[in-house]
Amino acid sequence: MFPQPPTKHQNDHNLPDVLRGTVFAAIPQRDHVALDFTTHAGSHLELHIPRSLFDALCARLGNAYKAGCWVAARCGEVDTLSRQSMERYVNMMTCDKLGLERGSNRVLRITVSSITAPEPSAKD
């Protein structure tokens, strides 16, 4: 029995258009992947994930679909917070998932470049 080569689904960074009723799209770029989706609370997010970081999440979680869902779920956990708080949270969770040192200047960062969310509050 010979090992099967990976299927297109396992290597493909294109995510489905719909994720449980939420618009969800991935736009592969040369150096990053852009995730564009709306959370269940109604916040529209556009995240930019460095390609190497997204590839590491894909390897850790199994494929691009799972990596995209994982990032979307982390954002959904804090979608009522400010953009800065969301960025800090998703980057902290990504570091933990990949076993990277939190706050290191060498770690690539996920950024939220476009968002419809509440303004920062005193509790952030």
Side-chain angles (χ1 to χ4, degrees):
M1 188 153 254
F2 296 100
Q4 297 280 333
T7 64
K8 181 182 182 320
H9 176 72
Q10 291 171 318
N11 291 331
D12 194 0
H13 287 284
N14 293 320
L15 302 175
D17 291 335
V18 178
L19 171 66
R20 295 186 186 139
T22 303
V23 176
F24 191 68
I27 304 166
Q29 305 291 326
R30 179 178 299 267
D31 60 345
H32 70 276
V33 172
L35 295 181
D36 183 19
F37 61 97
T38 302
T39 67
H40 293 290
S43 297
H44 178 80
L45 303 177
E46 183 176 302
L47 283 78
H48 294 264
I49 306 172
R51 170 70 62 184
S52 59
L53 191 60
F54 190 73
D55 288 346
L57 283 171
C58 291
R60 176 83 167 117
L61 296 168
N63 59 41
Y65 177 80
K66 291 177 183 177
C69 290
W70 185 86
V71 173
R74 301 299 69 81
C75 290
E77 292 170 352
V78 293
D79 67 349
T80 59
L81 300 180
S82 69
R83 180 190 63 79
Q84 294 85 2
S85 296
M86 292 177 80
E87 280 185 8
R88 285 192 301 265
Y89 181 76
V90 75
N91 280 294
M92 177 185 69
M93 296 302 289
T94 301
C95 284
D96 288 352
K97 187 60 144 179
L98 297 176
L100 303 172
E101 183 180 340
R102 286 187 194 174
S104 172
N105 291 336
R106 296 185 314 240
V107 175
L108 297 172
R109 313 249 332 138
I110 297 171
T111 60
V112 178
S113 66
S114 173
I115 187 168
T116 304
E119 291 299 314
S121 65
K123 67 179 182 180
D124 286 350

